[in-house]
Amino acid sequence: MTAPTENSTAPAATDEDAERAGASQGRPSSAFGRGGPHGLGSSPLRTDALPKALGIYPYAADLWAEGILWGAVLRSPHPHARIVSIDTSAALAIPGVHAVLTAADLPAPAPGASGPLWPGGRPVLAGEVVRHHGEPVAAVAADHPDTARLAAASIAVEYQLLEALTDPEQAFNGPALHPDGNLLRHLPLRTGDPEVVGEVIVEGLYQVGRQDPAAIGAEAGLAVPRPDGGVELHLSSTDPHGDRERTAACLGLEVDRVRLVVTGVPGATADREDPSFQALLALLALRTGRPVKMTLTREESFLTHAARHPALLRYRHHADAQGKLVKVEAQILLDGGAYADVSSEVLAAATAFSVGPYLCPNVFVDAWAVRTNNPPAGRMRGEGALQSCFAHESQLDLLAAQLGLTPLEVRRRNVLATGDALPTGQAVTCPAPVAALLDAVAETPLPALPVAEPDTEWLLPGGPGGAGEPSAVRRGIGYAVGMVHMLGAEGEDEVSTATVRVSGDSATVICAAVDAGQGFATLARQIVQSVLGVSEVYVAPVDSDQSIAGPSARGRHTWVSGGAVEKAALMVRHQLLAPIAADFGMSVELLSIADGKITSYDGVLGMPVEEALEGKELWATAQCRPHPTEPLDEAGQGDAFVSIAFCAMRAVVDVDIELGAVRVVDVTVAQDVGRALNPGQIEDRIEAGVAQGVGLALLEDLRTVGGVIANPSLTGYRLPTALDTPEVRIAALLEERDVVATFGAKAVSAVPAVVAPAAVAAAVRAATNLPIGRLPIPPEDAVVLAV
C-alpha cells in the first residue's frame, strides 16, 4: 500500500481495493460485469474472494503512515488483584519510547470509577483493581514494535493478590467484584400452571464451555491524530458508529472529532475488537501527536476479546404418555466474566428460547447472568440460543428414550408452527416450517457404511494413522432443531441508511454496513442490479462519516441495510422512469426493468438502461427501520423479537468407544431461509456455521485455571481442521417468505452454528448410549467401559 504523509489518512482496505488487486494480477476487476451473473437469486462471485485467497487483500495489519509509532499494552497476569503501585520510569528511559500511559493519565473518570469506562463498566486501563487475566494496565508507544513490547514489559506493577471468584454459582454469595455487584441480570419466565405434573419426567444437567471466536486475523489498527485535536481510527470494526461514540466518550471528545474508517475485516463471528483497543490507540496517537499502529499477538488476542458465555443449565421436562410436552422447568446460569458487556441481551435469548421450537403450555424458567473473574464474555454467533439449544435438544432425546419413541417422532409431536406462541407470549407471525425441516433431513439418504463400500479408505476417528481399532467404532445418528432471533431485541432501535448514486452505466452504494464475511457487499450489488439493471455496481468504503447502519450482528444487515439499499434504489428507479413514462403517456408502474432493458407493459417501449441513463446523475437516500419490539417484563413476557429463523439438522458420527475419539461423518441441514437471495453464499454460510458448531461440540474450549487462561494459542486452543469438518449436505432451503422482512429473507449464518453442537452431541449419545451433558465433549465422556 502507498504510504500516506504524516498525519494524513491511511487508505482503508475496501472492495474496490480488492478489485484493483485482482485487476493488477491480470484478472477481471469485477464479477458483476456485463457477462457475469447478477441480481437477486443468483450466486455471483464475491469481488474480494480471489484477492483474499491469494493473500493480497489489505487488512488493518498492512496499514502504514509516515512517522508511525508502534503501540503495546501491559496486561495483568492475575485474574483479580489490587494495584498497589505502577513505576513507568524504566520504560520511559528506553530510547525510542515516546509515551507511557496508565489510568492516571486518562481523562477524568466517572464518579466511583478508576478510569474512563466502556459500556458495561469496563475501564480502558485498570487503575485500582484488575478483574480478569489480561486486563490492560498500561500502554506504550515507541518507534519500533519490539521496543514498545520491551518497554511495556519493563513497567513495574506491584499487585496485592485478591481471591479470584471463578465459579459462577458462587457469585451470588461471594464478595462483590464491582460497585454494581455480581448479578448482571435475573430474568424469570412464567407462563401457565406451576402445579402441573407430567406422566413422564426427565431431568438433566448441562454445561457449555467457553468458545473463542478465534478470528483468522488478530486485532490490529492505526490511529492518526487530526489537526483539530481529534483522531482518525483505521480498524476492522464491525460497528463503526457504535465504536466511534464509545471511543469519543472514553477520550472526552465530541463525537464529530473522532472518525473511524473500516479496513478489511479478517473474519468476525463475534464482536471484533477488545473494547479498550481503539481507545488506547487513539489515546497514544493524541499523546504523541504521531500515527500509532498496534497489532496484537495471537496470545494477546485470546486474552482480550470476549468469548462465548459459558453456561450451566438444569432442566426438567414433563410430558404426557404420548410424548406431548406439558411443562418445562429450567435454571440457566451464564458466566458473564468480569464485565457486563452484552450479557443481558444474551440472557434474554437464552431464556426466551429455553424450550426451543416446541409448544409447551407451562414454562417456568429462572435465568441469571453473573459477574466472575473469568475472561469477559460477549456477543458470538447464536449467543444465548446455542446454550439453550444443547439443553432442550438433549432433554428431548432423554424423553424419547423414556417413552420408547424415536428422536424424530418426539420432536414431530411437539413442533412449533406459524401462529403459535413462544413461552414469552409473543405470537410467531413469521413462517415457522419446523415440521417440514425435520421431514427434509429425515428423507435425505444416510451416508454409506464402510462395509457397503469396501474399496473406499475408511477414515477412522482420530484421523489417519489413529490408534483405534475398527472393531471399536460405533456409528451414531442424532437430530436437533433450533432457532435464533434476528436483529436487536427488547426495544433496541434498529435502523440503517443507504445512498444509491447512478452515473452513466454504473452505480455506487454508500452504506455503513460492514461486510464481516457475511456477504453484504455482494448482496448490495445484487439489489441494485435487480432494481436498476445497471452494468457495474460498486460499494463505497465504510466510515463513520456516513449515516448509521448499526453493527454486523444477528443477520441484521440483510434486513435493515439491504432494505435501505432497496428503498434508495427504488427511489432512483422512479427518478429514471418518471420522465420516460410521461413521454409515453403512461404511469411508472407500467414500466419494468429486466436484463438491462426498460420495457413497457405493451411491448411498445424497449430501451437499454444505459441509453436511458446517458448523461444523467441520479441519487437517493433511504432508511429502513423494522417494527419495534419491547423489553421482557418481570414474568418474561413481551414481544421482544422482530423475527425468528429455524434450522433442523442430522449428524452422523463414528465413535471409537474405547478411546472416546469422535469423527463427524456427515451433517445434513434443512434451513428456513425465507428467500434465497444468493444460494451460493447461503450454502457457504451454512457450511461455516456447521464447522463452528462442530468445533464447539468436540474441540474448542478456552480453558481457565483459577481464572488464568491456560491455552491462549492456536496450538493449545484446538480449532477444527479440514479433517475434522464433515461433509455438509443441504437437504432443503425452505423459501416461505417472511412478509415483513426485506425481500422476505431470513438470516442464515447463526442458526447452523446453534444447532450443530446439539446434533453432534445427540449422535454421540446414540452411538454410545451414554449421557452426553458437556460441550465440548471430552473423550472420557464417550468411552464405553467394558462390563
Side-chain angles (χ1 to χ4, degrees):
M1 297 180 67
T2 304
T5 58
E6 185 172 356
N7 291 349
S8 68
T9 300
T14 69
D15 287 306
E16 292 180 54
D17 288 330
E19 291 175 3
R20 295 189 196 102
S24 70
Q25 300 296 316
R27 293 177 295 278
S29 65
S30 176
F32 285 82
R34 293 167 177 78
H38 60 263
L40 296 175
S42 66
S43 299
L45 180 70
R46 294 170 57 115
T47 56
D48 61 351
L50 195 56
K52 285 181 176 178
L54 293 174
I56 58 176
Y57 188 82
Y59 295 104
D62 303 311
L63 297 178
W64 192 265
E66 291 294 336
I68 196 170
L69 299 176
W70 296 82
V73 177
L74 175 68
R75 304 180 185 278
S76 168
H78 309 295
H80 197 200
R82 189 173 305 281
I83 298 175
V84 178
S85 64
I86 302 179
D87 184 356
T88 62
S89 58
L92 289 167
I94 295 175
V97 172
H98 291 256
V100 178
L101 296 178
T102 67
D105 301 304
L106 303 184
S114 59
L117 296 180
W118 206 258
R122 182 198 294 259
V124 174
L125 290 171
E128 298 176 2
V129 177
V130 293
R131 296 183 174 92
H132 71 90
H133 178 216
E135 183 163 10
V137 174
V140 173
D143 56 12
H144 191 278
D146 290 342
T147 304
R149 293 193 178 99
L150 176 63
S154 68
I155 297 172
V157 182
E158 182 183 352
Y159 295 100
Q160 177 190 349
L161 298 187
L162 302 173
E163 183 178 358
L165 175 58
T166 59
D167 182 352
E169 292 190 278
Q170 300 299 317
F172 298 98
N173 300 315
L177 303 178
H178 192 274
D180 295 334
N182 295 344
L183 181 62
L184 299 174
R185 186 179 187 183
H186 171 222
L187 181 57
L189 193 159
R190 310 278 188 265
T191 183
D193 183 359
E195 303 302 322
V196 169
V197 177
E199 297 173 78
V200 179
I201 301 174
V202 293
E203 299 185 50
L205 175 64
Y206 306 98
Q207 292 177 278
V208 178
R210 182 177 290 103
Q211 184 181 28
D212 192 272
I216 195 169
E219 293 83 344
L222 175 70
V224 182
R226 302 195 326 191
D228 65 356
V231 66
E232 186 165 284
L233 290 160
H234 297 258
L235 300 162
S236 51
S237 168
T238 56
D239 183 12
H241 290 88
D243 284 345
R244 177 191 65 170
E245 291 172 7
R246 292 183 286 265
T247 300
C250 291
L251 301 177
L253 295 176
E254 296 84 1
V255 171
D256 61 5
R257 291 173 67 191
V258 177
R259 180 172 183 247
L260 196 151
V261 179
V262 178
T263 64
V265 179
T269 59
D271 291 335
R272 268 291 308 177
E273 313 294 358
D274 161 31
S276 65
F277 181 83
Q278 49 262 55
L280 290 175
L281 259 180
L283 286 163
L284 288 170
L286 292 172
R287 172 61 67 93
T288 61
R290 302 259 297 269
V292 176
K293 179 178 178 179
M294 195 176 339
T295 303
L296 300 190
T297 65
R298 180 59 67 173
E299 178 178 354
E300 286 181 296
S301 182
F302 274 110
L303 294 180
T304 59
H305 60 231
R308 191 181 297 283
H309 285 74
L312 182 66
L313 308 100
R314 293 182 174 90
Y315 268 73
R316 181 184 295 126
H317 275 55
H318 299 246
D320 63 20
Q322 286 71 48
K324 292 279 289 182
L325 294 175
V326 297
K327 186 169 74 170
V328 172
E329 301 170 283
Q331 294 178 331
I332 300 171
L333 178 60
L334 300 184
D335 181 353
Y339 296 105
D341 294 334
V342 296
S343 291
S344 180
E345 64 184 75
V346 176
L347 191 73
T351 306
F353 301 146
S354 56
V355 178
Y358 306 108
L359 273 177
C360 184
N362 307 290
V363 179
F364 297 88
V365 178
D366 277 290
W368 302 270
V370 296
R371 197 188 307 271
T372 66
N373 291 122
N374 291 321
R379 185 181 289 116
M380 187 172 173
R381 183 183 280 167
E383 60 267 16
L386 181 149
Q387 292 88 330
S388 291
C389 183
F390 172 53
H392 63 64
E393 291 304 281
S394 299
Q395 284 289 105
L396 285 197
D397 284 349
L398 291 179
L399 186 60
Q402 187 85 351
L403 291 166
L405 299 173
T406 66
L408 273 172
E409 184 58 32
V410 77
R411 287 168 171 81
R412 284 179 171 134
R413 294 184 184 186
N414 291 284
V415 292
L416 196 72
T418 303
D420 291 332
L422 298 175
T424 60
Q426 178 172 347
V428 180
T429 57
C430 66
V434 183
L437 295 173
L438 277 169
D439 290 342
V441 295
E443 292 165 4
T444 304
L446 287 162
L449 288 164
V451 292
E453 299 179 347
D455 296 330
T456 302
E457 184 178 354
W458 187 18
L459 185 61
L460 293 171
E469 290 291 334
S471 60
V473 176
R474 303 289 184 271
R475 177 154 289 188
I477 302 166
Y479 295 88
V481 191
M483 58 204 290
V484 296
H485 71 91
M486 295 180 288
L487 286 65
E490 293 198 278
E492 184 174 342
D493 182 31
E494 287 286 8
V495 64
S496 183
T497 307
T499 297
V500 174
R501 298 181 183 274
V502 179
S503 178
D505 65 348
S506 66
T508 299
V509 177
I510 302 171
C511 182
V514 177
D515 190 335
Q518 80 277 34
F520 174 75
T522 303
L523 176 62
R525 291 182 171 95
Q526 290 181 265
I527 293 169
V528 176
Q529 286 274 9
S530 292
V531 174
L532 296 176
V534 292
S535 301
E536 300 285 346
V537 182
Y538 299 98
V539 177
V542 174
D543 67 63
S544 60
D545 285 348
Q546 299 164 2
S547 298
I548 190 168
S552 297
R554 301 178 295 272
R556 56 184 306 283
H557 281 320
T558 296
W559 187 318
V560 288
S561 297
V565 172
E566 182 198 29
K567 288 182 177 181
L570 287 171
M571 293 166 69
V572 171
R573 181 182 185 275
H574 190 274
Q575 295 172 29
L576 174 65
L577 297 183
I580 298 173
D583 289 344
F584 282 83
M586 62 179 67
S587 68
V588 170
E589 289 72 25
L590 297 179
L591 299 178
S592 62
I593 298 177
D595 299 323
K597 292 184 66 177
I598 301 171
T599 56
S600 60
Y601 76 102
D602 55 7
V604 172
L605 173 65
M607 178 187 297
V609 171
E610 290 185 17
E611 180 182 330
L613 285 170
E614 188 173 351
K616 293 184 174 68
E617 290 195 10
L618 308 173
W619 69 274
T621 298
Q623 277 193 340
C624 178
R625 177 179 267 116
H627 63 81
T629 58
E630 62 187 15
L632 296 172
D633 65 19
E634 63 277 359
Q637 302 297 296
D639 291 348
F641 308 111
V642 176
S643 189
I644 302 169
F646 303 88
C647 176
M649 222 173 263
R650 182 186 67 199
V652 179
V653 303
D654 286 342
V655 182
D656 187 321
I657 62 172
E658 293 178 349
L659 300 177
V662 178
R663 175 178 172 247
V664 183
V665 177
D666 176 272
V667 171
T668 301
V669 183
Q671 190 155 323
D672 156 45
V673 300
R675 179 185 174 189
L677 303 178
N678 185 319
Q681 283 199 161
I682 289 175
E683 292 184 11
D684 291 344
R685 303 325 302 152
I686 290 173
E687 290 179 3
V690 169
Q692 190 170 42
V694 168
L696 175 59
L698 300 176
L699 300 168
E700 297 184 50
D701 189 13
L702 193 64
R703 303 188 310 275
T704 58
V705 178
V708 175
I709 298 175
N711 55 333
S713 71
L714 292 180
T715 302
Y717 184 84
R718 298 184 301 157
L719 289 167
T721 67
L723 290 177
D724 300 304
T725 305
E727 178 182 358
V728 178
R729 294 186 290 165
I730 309 298
L733 298 177
L734 292 189
E735 297 190 64
E736 294 185 28
R737 298 190 183 186
D738 186 345
V739 295
V740 301
T742 299
F743 313 113
K746 293 190 176 184
V748 298
S749 296
V751 69
V754 165
V755 180
V760 171
V764 174
R765 192 179 295 117
T768 62
N769 199 30
L770 293 172
I772 302 297
R774 293 190 288 177
L775 294 180
I777 304 168
E780 59 267 25
D781 284 9
V783 171
V784 178
L785 299 176
V787 179

